[in-house]
């Protein structure tokens, strides 16, 4: 165009060139600013929408996480927490605050559920615990990366997220806490009625490694009663194996659960009735996949345990195994000195 105007004898002057470029630059800058602002508003709106949906799901999942600690549900909640963290710097301040408060609440719920209940230790596999540690570590890395772009996230990181994710990592790698074991079996529905000296065990657990807890799973094939041969009940029979007697009886002999698998006649009538009711209930629940039972045991020595809680249930299970039912036995296994000062029943085993 300039060449054409020059050929006509009316070329642009330097002022024309300056004004044209100036107008173009200003127009481009103004239009760019307007587009950038609108794009920023769109990003905020989309980030708010995504975080609102995640807040809704996470809030809904809190009650389920509190009631039961399924590994898949726990991992899903943690993944949703992690996914939203990348959107936090793009959202409006109120939405950032609401989402991060929800994340802190979810983490607190998971810590309380996993850290105060024995059920997860019995139901989760080693792979489940390993996966939990991986998910939590990924959440921490995402939070650290994005908090550089959000002062609000940095504040929530230091106040809640960092502490609770560290606690989750500790739970994922730690053994069963003795305090949780004690609360579960003294205040919950599964109460150990044997005369354990809980105070002494607690002191020993705090002072040294003489008290340990572990979770042990044992698969019992059909008819394989020998698998249960090392499990003793805190029940006793007389020397003739005809009547049940107390542990302090002069002729008392400890009873093994395999002895009761085919003959309950030595037990008291009320105990026989309860075992029969449990056996009938378990039989009605059989679906071809076998039965699963959780008990608490005290280690007596190699391949021998005293069953502290679940004796009636284990006897009923042993009877079904004798009839051809497969089973899985999950133990909260307590290892401590075999000393009758801790539990009077141990007087029959402490010299072995």
């Amino acid at each position: 165009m300039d060449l054409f105007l020059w050929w006509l004898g009316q070329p642009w002057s330097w002022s024309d060139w300056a004004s044209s470029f100036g107008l173009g630059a200003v127009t481009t800058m103004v239009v760019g600013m307007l587009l950038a602002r609108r794009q920023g508003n769109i990003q905020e709106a989309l980030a708010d929408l995504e975080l609102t949906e995640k807040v809704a799901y996470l809030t809904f999942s809190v009650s389920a996480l509190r009631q039961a600690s399924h590994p898949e549900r726990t991992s899903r909640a943690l993944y949703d927490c992690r996914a939203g963290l990348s959107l936090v710097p793009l959202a409006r301040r109120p939405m950032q605050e609401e989402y991060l408060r929800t994340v802190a609440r979810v983490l607190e719920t998971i810590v309380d559920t996993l850290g105060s209940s024995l059920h997860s230790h019995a139901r989760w596999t080693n792979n489940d615990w390993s996966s939990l540690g991986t998910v939590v570590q990924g959440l921490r890395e995402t939070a650290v990366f994005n908090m550089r772009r959000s002062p609000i996230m940095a504040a929530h990181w230091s106040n809640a997220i960092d502490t609770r994710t560290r606690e989750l990592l500790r739970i994922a790698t730690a053994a069963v806490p003795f305090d949780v074991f004690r609360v579960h079996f003294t205040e919950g529905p599964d109460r150990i009625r044997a005369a354990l000296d809980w105070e002494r065990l607690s002191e020993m657990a705090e002072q040294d490694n003489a008290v340990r807890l572990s979770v042990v799973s044992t698969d019992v094939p059909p008819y394989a009663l020998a698998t249960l041969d090392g499990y003793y009940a805190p029940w006793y029979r007389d020397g003739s194996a005809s009547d049940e007697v107390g542990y302090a009886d002069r002729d008392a002999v400890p009873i093994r659960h395999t002895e009761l698998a085919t003959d309950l006649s030595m037990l008291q009538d009320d105990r026989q009735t309860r075992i029969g009711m449990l056996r009938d209930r378990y039989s009605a629940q059989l679906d071809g996949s076998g039965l699963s039972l959780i008990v608490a045991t005290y280690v007596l020595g190699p391949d021998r345990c005293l069953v502290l809680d679940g004796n009636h249930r284990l006897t009923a299970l042993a009877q079904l195994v004798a009839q051809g039912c497969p089973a899985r036995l999950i133990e909260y296994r307590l290892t401590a000195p075999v000393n009758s000062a801790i539990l009077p029943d141990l007087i029959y085993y402490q010299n072995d």
Side-chain angles (χ1 to χ4, degrees):
M1 180 64 71
D2 183 55
L3 290 175
F4 178 72
L5 292 174
W6 180 81
W7 181 72
L8 294 176
Q10 300 177 352
W12 280 8
S13 64
W14 287 110
S15 60
D16 292 333
W17 279 101
S19 61
S20 296
F21 277 106
L23 179 61
V26 171
T27 302
T28 301
M29 182 177 64
V30 171
V31 171
M33 291 174 62
L34 292 175
L35 291 175
R37 183 171 182 178
R38 182 167 181 79
Q39 184 65 25
N41 292 336
I42 292 173
Q43 285 183 341
E44 281 188 349
L46 291 175
D48 283 6
L49 174 63
E50 290 287 339
L51 291 182
T52 301
E53 291 178 347
K54 294 191 178 301
V55 166
Y57 169 77
L58 292 172
T59 301
F60 175 78
S61 68
V62 165
S63 60
L65 291 170
R66 188 179 293 118
Q67 294 172 2
S69 53
H70 297 293
E72 296 82 6
R73 184 178 294 161
T74 302
S75 294
R76 168 67 191 275
L78 291 172
Y79 272 121
D80 273 301
C81 290
R82 176 183 176 184
L85 293 177
S86 299
L87 297 172
V88 167
L90 304 176
R92 294 176 300 111
R93 182 185 182 94
M95 192 68 245
Q96 292 187 41
E97 293 280 4
E98 182 177 0
Y99 179 74
L100 292 171
R101 284 196 302 268
T102 304
V103 169
R105 184 184 175 195
V106 169
L107 292 175
E108 181 180 10
T109 301
I110 295 175
V111 168
D112 290 343
T113 303
L114 296 182
S116 61
S117 172
L118 289 179
H119 291 301
S120 57
H121 292 279
R123 295 170 181 166
W124 289 34
T125 65
N126 290 335
N127 287 336
D128 292 331
W129 289 111
S130 178
S131 296
L132 175 68
T134 301
V135 175
V136 173
Q137 189 60 46
L139 188 151
R140 287 177 56 85
E141 293 172 357
T142 302
V144 169
F145 177 80
N146 286 284
M147 72 181 184
R148 292 176 293 182
R149 300 187 294 153
S150 171
I152 299 174
M153 185 184 292
H156 279 268
W157 166 263
S158 58
N159 292 335
I161 298 176
D162 181 30
T163 302
R164 286 165 185 158
T165 51
R166 286 182 184 275
E167 182 65 12
L168 277 177
L169 290 175
R170 186 194 67 78
I171 292 173
T173 56
V176 181
F178 180 80
D179 289 341
V180 177
F181 177 84
R182 177 178 180 175
V183 169
H184 182 92
F185 284 107
T186 57
E187 301 179 8
D190 301 325
R191 296 193 178 187
I192 293 177
R193 292 173 173 79
L196 273 175
D197 188 341
W198 289 104
E199 295 301 327
R200 184 167 183 171
L201 282 172
S202 296
E203 293 174 0
M204 296 172 65
E206 293 176 359
Q207 294 173 359
D208 52 42
N209 294 323
V211 176
R212 300 189 307 278
L213 280 163
S214 57
V215 179
V216 180
S217 295
T218 304
D219 289 321
V220 185
Y223 306 107
L225 277 179
T227 308
L228 302 175
D229 198 47
Y231 293 87
Y232 289 79
W235 305 332
Y236 305 88
R237 57 177 174 81
D238 59 21
S240 62
S242 58
D243 295 305
E244 182 178 354
V245 296
Y247 83 92
D249 190 277
R250 184 176 60 181
D251 298 324
V253 177
I255 300 174
R256 291 181 298 172
H257 282 278
T258 50
E259 296 179 63
L260 303 173
T262 55
D263 183 12
L264 297 178
S265 61
M266 70 185 75
L267 298 181
Q268 299 172 359
D269 291 342
D270 58 341
R271 213 184 294 283
Q272 294 184 41
T273 301
R274 185 177 177 188
I275 292 171
M277 293 174 60
L278 287 168
R279 183 184 62 247
D280 294 341
R281 186 200 307 172
Y282 293 158
S283 297
Q285 296 173 354
L286 291 176
D287 57 1
S289 59
L291 295 172
S292 180
L293 181 64
I294 298 176
V295 298
T297 61
Y298 197 112
V299 175
L300 302 173
D303 302 320
R304 294 199 307 164
C305 293
L306 177 66
V307 179
L308 300 175
D309 174 73
N311 283 281
H312 294 84
R313 288 174 283 144
L314 182 55
T315 300
L317 185 72
Q319 291 188 332
L320 292 176
V321 169
Q323 297 171 11
C325 174
R328 166 169 286 188
L329 187 63
I330 302 172
E331 301 173 55
Y332 298 118
R333 184 173 287 182
L334 174 64
T335 301
V338 181
N339 189 331
S340 59
I342 299 174
L343 176 63
D345 299 79
L346 297 178
I347 193 171
Y348 292 99
Y349 311 99
Q350 61 185 4
N351 295 324
D352 291 357

